[in-house]
Amino acid sequence: AQSVTQLGSHVSVSEGALVLLRCNYSSSVPPYLFWYVQYPNQGLQLLLKYTSAATLVKGINGFEAEFKKSETSFHLTKPSAHMSDAAEYFCAVSATGGGNKLTFGTGTQLKVEL
Amino acid sequence: KAGVTQTPRYLIKTRGQQVTLSCSPISGHRSVSWYQQTPGQGLQFLFEYFSETQRNKGNFPGRFSGRQFSNSRSEMNVSTLELGDSALYLCASSLVWGTDGEQYFGPGTRLTVT
């Protein structure tokens, strides 16, 4: 069975600073990995996905993530935080051949301060 | 192209009642999944439908059921509501079943059970 662990339920950064949100996965088969963002009172929006085509994945809003098999990690980064990035971020995994079922991490609330 | 729509957006029910939630996927998408989001349990997979057939099911009691219609619209039903069923219910659609798991989420239905 696959799972993801997000380290840090709350992360606070200054506007303009680097954003780093951590995600480690556990999967018995090569996984598909995703990052979603959720703004208050809204659904989830797909930021980016990894499907083995490239280890460095670029997403929307300047976010990117790097798949590192040796570290079983898929951390999300953004070089310069903006106030509008404040939201909750979820890492998720789906197994190849497992349909579209996503298993989510517990989420990381990102706070951006002036 | 219109996104995933869910109705109603907010719902208040009493313990013991039943409720039906509706989801219309993105035009052309044929797979629909449902997730429950609560502060305590996070995001949990309920079930997934494709071509009017349930393809995946999460670990929820039989009080939770769903179906999909020929136009890909989906409904989920919760019978004999309990206080713990209070949650945000999210619907997600995908183009097909069994690919990389990329899904697009609706805004959710906020169910409150009193």
Side-chain angles (χ1 to χ4, degrees), chain A residues 42-62:
Chain A
Q42 294 187 27
L44 301 171
Q45 181 181 10
L46 179 66
L47 279 176
L48 49 81
K49 67 177 183 180
Y50 166 77
T51 57
S52 79
T55 57
L56 183 62
V57 181
K58 293 187 183 298
I60 63 171
N61 302 339

Side-chain angles (χ1 to χ4, degrees), chain B residues 20-21 34 46-49 52-54 57 61-69 73-78:
Chain B
T20 299
L21 312 182
W34 289 88
L46 279 156
F47 25 65
E48 178 182 14
Y49 287 87
E52 302 176 64
T53 302
Q54 189 179 88
K57 189 177 189 304
R63 300 185 296 107
F64 291 80
S65 62
R67 60 178 176 169
Q68 186 181 36
F69 302 95
R73 191 177 69 85
S74 178
E75 289 180 348
M76 68 163 282
N77 183 276
V78 188

Side-chain angles (χ1 to χ4, degrees), chain B residues 17-83:
Chain B
Q17 288 186 316
Q18 75 164 12
V19 67
T20 299
L21 312 182
S22 181
C23 171
S24 292
I26 292 172
S27 178
H29 283 198
R30 297 170 57 198
S31 177
V32 173
S33 298
W34 289 88
Y35 295 83
Q36 181 196 63
Q37 185 177 25
T38 61
Q41 299 298 317
L43 280 154
Q44 294 187 288
F45 172 78
L46 279 156
F47 25 65
E48 178 182 14
Y49 287 87
F50 176 72
S51 292
E52 302 176 64
T53 302
Q54 189 179 88
R55 302 292 178 141
N56 261 321
K57 189 177 189 304
N59 188 26
F60 278 83
R63 300 185 296 107
F64 291 80
S65 62
R67 60 178 176 169
Q68 186 181 36
F69 302 95
S70 58
N71 61 359
S72 296
R73 191 177 69 85
S74 178
E75 289 180 348
M76 68 163 282
N77 183 276
V78 188
S79 63
T80 320
L81 284 165
E82 301 177 359
L83 294 179

Side-chain angles (χ1 to χ4, degrees), chain A residues 76-89:
Chain A
L76 181 71
T77 60
K78 182 174 180 178
S80 177
H82 191 271
M83 295 296 289
S84 61
D85 295 327
E88 188 155 24
Y89 292 78

